[in-house]
């Protein structure tokens, strides 16, 4: 197990692709074991692919790319402008609200951050916002996208931890809205201090709001339809992914008329690349997951943490701090696949609902994508907008503090997370 961990971090810091690094490290466990044949490792790779819930991942990835080609994003931007552009720091407020709307469309924080950096970033900088503040509001704001359903991270957590994906989707709604409120308040404070003016001096009237919402109605209806379909039992989470693809194609082709054959092929090409990377990581992580269980890592870590404190809340905070530190160095998908089988048994033993913990864990893991040294969303936004990482890091601190406060509140008040799942399921 020690060799596995050493090799994984060695390969990661050497710049090897994550999938191959985790695959070789996992294979080393079986190659050096005196008790387990190598063939078991190969079987674990194949076994990871034999899962019906796993179908939700490629389907939602494809749905997200399709929706970005169907005019839905442009309509959401227009709706966000009408609703919040009149507030202090108007364009930054639009970024935060757009991330909330995009949570019901793409489910990917990195995709949302890159899109907003290209579409809204130049306008923000031209309007006088600093590059660091622009990048921070876009990158950290994209955390909401990974919390509001459908979230790819929650799908992976549910798949690995054997937790209801439908309950996880419902549990992400309230935390996502709380994050939106906290970040919009942070933007308001910074904007008032620096004199960042509103993008639209006129507050929205009811007719303007009505027209904007009606124009974006098909995009706004999608997450509602998704949750209703899961709650009513019409579709499983995997089947909802297929419904999302069909929904995007039908709306883009027959309603918005923005989905052309060329853009359809482009969405397919981009999806294949993303799905290939994610699936390869998932399959090769099967060997590491088996090694974790075989070596009884969850039980060992549980004994250590329970030995430090007998208070469940304190242990949960320690686990989240540990996950946050790991998230600074390890990519989110890998973190989810490696740490879920370790910590779900621990928190279950503490009497904590795994749905509650899943939302907290995925928020902390995704936050690692907005922080150095391996923050994927951070680097994507900073490279697109030509912003030094040092400036981004300084400007992102108020947003990070706001998010951590929200997560602390969610730990102490589990009812906020579990309200919708308990009410509707």
């Amino acid at each position: 197990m020690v060799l596995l961990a050493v090799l994984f971090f060695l390969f990661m810091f050497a710049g090897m692709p994550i999938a191959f690094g985790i695959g070789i490290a996992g294979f080393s466990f079986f190659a050096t074991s005196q008790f387990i044949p190598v063939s078991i490792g190969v079987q674990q790779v194949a076994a990871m692919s034999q899962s019906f819930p796993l179908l939700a991942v490629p389907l939602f990835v494809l749905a997200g790319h399709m929706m970005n080609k169907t005019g839905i994003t442009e309509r959401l931007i227009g709706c966000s402008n009408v609703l919040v552009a009149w507030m202090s720091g108007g364009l930054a407020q639009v970024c935060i609200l757009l991330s909330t709307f995009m949570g019901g469309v793409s489910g990917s924080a990195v995709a949302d951050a890159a899109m907003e950096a290209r579409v809204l970033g130049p306008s923000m900088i031209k309007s006088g916002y600093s590059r660091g503040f622009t990048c921070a509001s876009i990158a950290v704001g994209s955390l909401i996208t990974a919390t509001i359903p459908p979230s790819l991270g929650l799908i992976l957590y549910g798949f690995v931890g054997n937790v209801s994906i439908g309950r996880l989707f419902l549990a992400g709604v309230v935390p996502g809205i709380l994050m939106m409120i906290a970040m919009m308040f942070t933007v308001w404070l910074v904007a008032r201090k620096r004199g960042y003016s509103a993008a639209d001096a006129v507050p929205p009237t009811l007719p303007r709001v009505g027209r904007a919402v009606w124009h974006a109605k098909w995009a706004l209806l999608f997450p509602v339809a998704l949750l209703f379909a899961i709650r009513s039992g019409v579709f499983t989470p995997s089947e909802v992914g297929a419904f999302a693809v069909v929904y995007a194609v039908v709306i883009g082709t027959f309603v918005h008329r923005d989905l052309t054959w060329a853009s359809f092929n482009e969405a397919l090409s981009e999806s294949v690349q993303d799905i290939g990377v994610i699936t390869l990581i998932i399959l090769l992580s099967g060997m590491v997951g088996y090694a974790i269980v075989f070596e009884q890592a969850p039980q060992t870590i549980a004994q250590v943490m329970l030995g430090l404190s007998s208070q469940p809340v304190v242990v949960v905070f320690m686990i989240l701090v540990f996950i946050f530190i790991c998230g600074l160095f390890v990519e989110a998908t890998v973190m989810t696949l490696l740490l879920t089988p370790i910590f779900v048994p621990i928190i279950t033993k503490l009497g904590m609902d795994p749905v509650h913990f899943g939302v907290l864990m995925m928020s902390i893991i995704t936050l690692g994508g907005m922080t150095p040294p391996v923050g994927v969303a951070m680097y994507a936004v900073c490279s697109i907008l030509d912003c030094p990482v040092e400036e981004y890091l300084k400007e992102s601190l108020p947003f990070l503090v706001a998010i951590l406060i929200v997560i602390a509140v969610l730990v102490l008040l589990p009812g906020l997370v579990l309200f919708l799942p308990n009410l509707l399921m």
Side-chain angles (χ1 to χ4, degrees):
M1 194 68 183
V2 175
L3 177 63
L4 186 157
V6 170
L7 286 176
F8 171 70
F9 284 105
L10 183 64
F11 291 146
M12 186 184 67
F13 288 117
M16 179 180 287
I18 291 292
F20 297 118
I22 197 172
I24 296 172
F27 186 77
S28 70
F29 174 80
F30 296 91
T32 57
S33 176
Q34 299 177 351
F35 308 103
I36 309 174
V38 174
S39 60
I40 297 295
V42 178
Q43 290 173 15
Q44 293 307 309
V45 175
M48 289 295 287
S49 66
Q50 307 302 307
S51 171
F52 186 70
L54 190 60
L55 282 174
V57 175
L59 288 172
F60 275 116
V61 170
L62 176 58
H65 283 290
M66 285 295 180
M67 289 193 180
N68 286 335
K69 304 295 182 183
T70 59
I72 284 178
T73 301
E74 290 77 7
R75 286 164 173 79
L76 290 177
I77 291 174
C79 184
S80 302
N81 265 308
V82 171
L83 292 174
V84 298
W86 59 275
M87 301 170 65
S88 296
L91 288 176
Q93 303 284 15
V94 170
C95 286
I96 305 301
L97 185 59
L98 181 59
S99 291
T100 307
F101 287 153
M102 288 301 293
V105 176
S106 71
S108 169
V110 178
D112 170 57
M115 179 276 295
E116 290 192 25
R118 293 188 182 95
V119 176
L120 297 175
S123 298
M124 291 179 66
I125 294 172
K126 191 179 296 184
S127 299
Y129 295 81
S130 71
R131 289 184 183 273
F133 180 79
T134 299
C135 291
S137 58
I138 292 174
V140 184
S142 67
L143 174 65
I144 305 170
T145 302
T147 306
I148 297 283
S151 165
L152 296 180
L154 291 178
I155 294 172
L156 288 177
Y157 172 86
F159 162 66
V160 178
N162 196 26
V163 181
S164 168
I165 295 175
R167 285 180 61 84
L168 285 167
F169 277 2
L170 289 169
V173 174
V174 173
I177 293 173
L178 291 177
M179 290 178 188
M180 178 197 74
I181 294 171
M183 292 195 64
M184 290 183 74
F185 181 69
T186 304
V187 167
W188 182 81
L189 289 177
V190 175
R192 297 273 292 186
K193 181 178 179 181
R194 299 183 183 179
Y196 292 151
S197 60
D200 188 350
V202 182
T205 60
L206 190 59
R208 282 187 67 201
V209 172
R211 285 193 297 269
V213 171
W214 181 255
H215 191 57
K217 60 184 179 298
W218 295 109
L220 298 175
L221 279 174
F222 171 69
V224 178
L226 179 149
L227 293 176
F228 175 77
I230 293 177
R231 168 63 187 89
S232 62
V234 176
F235 300 120
T236 66
S238 300
E239 292 166 344
V240 166
F243 162 74
V245 175
V246 174
Y247 184 94
V249 172
V250 170
I251 296 301
T253 304
F254 300 106
V255 180
H256 293 166
R257 301 182 184 277
D258 289 329
L259 185 63
T260 63
W261 183 249
S263 60
F264 179 83
N265 284 326
E266 188 177 343
L268 285 177
S269 175
E270 293 172 353
S271 299
V272 167
Q273 295 179 39
D274 289 347
I275 293 167
V277 172
I278 295 172
T279 304
L280 195 58
I281 293 174
I282 292 173
L283 296 182
L284 293 177
S285 70
M287 293 184 288
V288 178
Y290 182 91
I292 289 172
V293 174
F294 184 83
E295 293 291 334
Q296 297 186 327
Q299 292 87 335
T300 304
I301 295 175
Q303 289 177 358
V304 172
M305 289 194 165
L306 293 174
L308 295 174
S309 174
S310 59
Q311 297 296 322
V313 172
V314 176
V315 176
V316 170
F317 272 115
M318 289 193 297
I319 291 174
L320 293 177
V321 170
F322 174 78
I323 293 173
F324 178 73
I325 295 172
C326 291
L328 298 176
F329 304 98
V330 184
E331 196 268 335
T333 303
V334 177
M335 283 274 291
T336 305
L337 295 170
L338 295 185
L339 297 184
T340 299
I342 292 177
F343 288 122
V344 167
I346 296 175
I347 61 95
T348 303
K349 185 176 180 180
L350 292 172
M352 185 178 189
D353 192 315
V355 172
H356 178 204
F357 178 74
V359 172
L360 299 174
M361 176 177 169
M362 292 316 306
S363 298
I364 290 290
I365 286 178
T366 308
L367 196 62
M370 292 89 191
T371 52
V374 294
V376 180
M378 174 191 71
Y379 287 125
V381 172
C382 288
S383 62
I384 291 171
L385 296 177
D386 193 26
C387 174
V389 173
E390 297 79 9
E391 183 181 348
Y392 163 88
L393 185 59
K394 177 182 176 182
E395 297 279 15
S396 67
L397 289 178
F399 295 104
L400 297 176
V401 170
I403 292 297
L404 292 175
I405 290 174
V406 170
I407 291 175
V409 170
L410 294 175
V411 173
L412 299 173
L413 300 175
L416 293 174
V417 180
L418 299 175
F419 169 72
L420 281 179
N422 291 341
L423 178 68
L424 300 178
M425 296 187 73

